[in-house]
Amino acid sequence: MKKENIYILGIESSCDDTSAAVLCNDEILSNVVADQKIHTEYGGVVPELASRAHQQNIVPVVNQAIERAGISKDQLSAIAFTRGPGLMGSLLVGTSFAKSLAFGLDIPLIDVNHMQAHILAHFIEEEDHQKPPFPFLAMTISGGHTQIVKVTSYFEMEVLGETIDDAVGEAYDKSGKILGLGYPAGPEIDRRAQLGNPKAYKFTKPKVDGLNFSFSGLKTAILYFAQRETKVNPNFVEENLNDICASIQYTIVGILMDKLKLAVKQTGIKHIAIGGGVSANSGIRKALKEAEKKHGWTTYIPKFEYTTDNAAMIAIVGYLKYLEKDFSDFDVMATARLKI
Ligand code: KG4
Ligand code: ZN
């Protein structure tokens, strides 16, 4: 007998992207993301503006996701939404919307932890993407997160280390701001880094015990370095931008790789799954490929649209929880500081 298809609508609104996706079992039928350009002029996400933009976007984004999936909303089996962590105002928009729609359609509601979703995005069925075997190490690197997690099964996860201050993407964006680059600066630093000399300037790596990270010292070091050098040559930054970017990237990739190597040493696990917007970075990708050859690691990076904030990753967690009948009560609350 053919098994009945399960259709999950996923909703993501934890930061500055309003996203909705529809999935049939573990395959994505649609994944719509409305990013919010409004924050560019402020050089970072403004929470109040983000929640207002979510309110404007959520209805058209959900409608589009259902339309593109080619199903009707009456076919939906359940609705999954991001409960946290994230910006409270932003989370509330997705949470309230998901509750109302699930209530109206009389279908189960499933709350999802955003950090677990970044990791479980690896289990979306995709041609050319191999799913990591358990146990594996997951490193989530983005504008909001920097975490190394030991993943024993879909829902057994242990955070081994995380940032104690800025996230790695934030380090890119704040360094870029000092150098006069636009927001977000990560992609531009990455592009220039590939044209420059990574050993032109030396920035010291932070000393943080264990598997935790720190990136705020690097930003300060870059600020002082730029101030010092421009006193001598006012055009220093413009004249040496590619080398500066390459040196920053070299330092950041070094920090990430040092911690990953330590995590592999401590756990003996050599399957490494990467997620978050910074996984697009050419430096980290190259370093991971080298580690495959040098240390026998196997590394996994999902399709780009599933690494940045998106609802497909929320929907896949929804599907996995649906199979377990792990549903939420309707009084479930958005939680800004939700732990894995
Ligand atoms: O996952 P994401 O889209 O949003 C969240 O922060 O949750 O990640 C965005 C972050 C930004 O900080 C951006 O500068 C950084 O990822 N980023 C990169 C690259 N592409 C995006 N950083 C370094 N190299 C890149 N190629
Ligand atoms: Zn995220």
Side-chain angles (χ1 to χ4, degrees):
M1 204 175 80
K2 199 161 171 276
K3 270 206 322 214
E4 198 190 331
N5 281 332
I6 294 162
Y7 293 97
I8 306 283
L9 170 70
I11 295 175
E12 155 65 29
S13 72
S14 67
C15 189
D16 61 340
D17 295 302
T18 319
S19 180
V22 176
L23 172 155
C24 175
N25 305 322
D26 58 356
E27 284 183 42
I28 300 299
L29 300 181
S30 64
N31 184 34
V32 179
V33 184
D35 57 359
Q36 304 176 357
K37 297 276 178 283
I38 182 90
H39 308 287
T40 317
E41 59 193 275
Y42 297 94
V45 178
V46 184
E48 184 54 32
L49 295 180
S51 38
R52 272 190 240 163
H54 283 306
Q55 278 180 324
Q56 285 170 352
N57 293 342
I58 192 125
V59 172
V61 164
V62 168
N63 272 334
Q64 246 185 54
I66 294 175
E67 212 172 279
R68 283 191 202 169
I71 63 160
S72 86
K73 61 182 185 313
D74 301 319
Q75 285 175 270
L76 290 172
S77 315
I79 296 178
F81 69 97
T82 307
R83 179 182 173 199
L87 301 170
M88 195 54 179
S90 294
L91 289 167
L92 277 171
V93 177
T95 306
S96 324
F97 188 88
K99 279 186 193 179
S100 322
L101 191 57
F103 190 76
L105 295 172
D106 196 19
I107 55 177
L109 180 69
I110 301 172
D111 68 277
V112 173
N113 180 310
H114 180 92
M115 299 307 296
Q116 285 193 340
H118 269 298
I119 296 169
L120 296 176
H122 285 272
F123 294 92
I124 294 170
E125 181 63 38
E126 270 294 313
E127 233 181 282
D128 303 331
H129 178 67
Q130 250 203 305
K131 298 172 183 171
F134 298 113
F136 64 91
L137 294 175
M139 183 167 79
T140 308
I141 42 178
S142 77
H145 342 286
T146 311
Q147 242 183 14
I148 298 181
V149 179
K150 180 179 163 186
V151 187
T152 310
S153 68
Y154 290 132
F155 296 109
E156 267 175 279
M157 299 188 185
E158 184 194 349
V159 179
L160 302 180
E162 59 193 334
T163 184
I164 56 171
D165 41 55
D166 292 347
V168 59
E170 227 175 327
Y172 269 103
D173 296 338
K174 288 180 176 173
S175 305
K177 200 169 180 179
I178 295 168
L179 302 176
L181 303 177
Y183 172 85
E188 177 70 1
I189 294 182
D190 186 14
R191 190 183 68 75
R192 289 180 172 278
Q194 294 169 67
L195 306 170
N197 172 8
K199 303 223 171 123
Y201 309 104
K202 192 168 164 47
F203 301 108
T204 41
K205 287 189 202 158
K207 291 191 177 48
V208 190
D209 283 343
L211 292 172
N212 282 339
F213 298 87
S214 167
F215 287 102
S216 69
L218 178 64
K219 158 198 75 193
T220 316
I222 292 163
L223 177 66
Y224 291 159
F225 163 78
Q227 284 176 343
R228 204 172 52 234
E229 295 292 343
T230 43
K231 262 194 204 142
V232 185
N233 170 10
N235 299 324
F236 175 81
V237 170
E238 296 84 71
E239 285 171 11
N240 299 286
L241 197 48
N242 292 349
D243 284 349
I244 301 172
C245 289
S247 304
I248 293 172
Q249 179 132 310
Y250 180 77
T251 314
I252 292 179
V253 171
I255 296 170
L256 296 174
M257 290 305 291
D258 284 354
K259 295 291 177 175
L260 264 185
K261 281 179 202 157
L262 185 60
V264 170
K265 195 171 160 206
Q266 284 184 3
T267 58
I269 300 170
K270 290 188 174 183
H271 289 275
I272 322 275
I274 310 292
V278 182
S279 61
N281 184 266
S282 66
I284 191 75
R285 282 177 178 244
K286 194 162 155 242
L288 290 168
K289 281 281 159 246
E290 279 166 12
E292 291 199 335
K293 285 199 202 97
K294 207 165 154 197
H295 307 298
W297 296 5
T298 312
T299 63
Y300 305 81
I301 304 182
K303 204 164 137 188
F304 184 67
E305 64 171 304
Y306 305 142
T307 64
T308 55
D309 284 351
N310 70 85
M313 68 182 193
I314 305 303
I316 188 73
V317 183
Y319 171 68
L320 294 168
K321 283 192 161 186
Y322 188 93
L323 296 179
E324 304 283 317
K325 302 235 174 316
D326 186 359
F327 303 139
S328 314
D329 290 332
F330 274 83
D331 58 2
V332 61
M333 297 280 284
T335 309
R337 294 191 170 274
L338 193 63
K339 295 260 175 240
I340 271 191

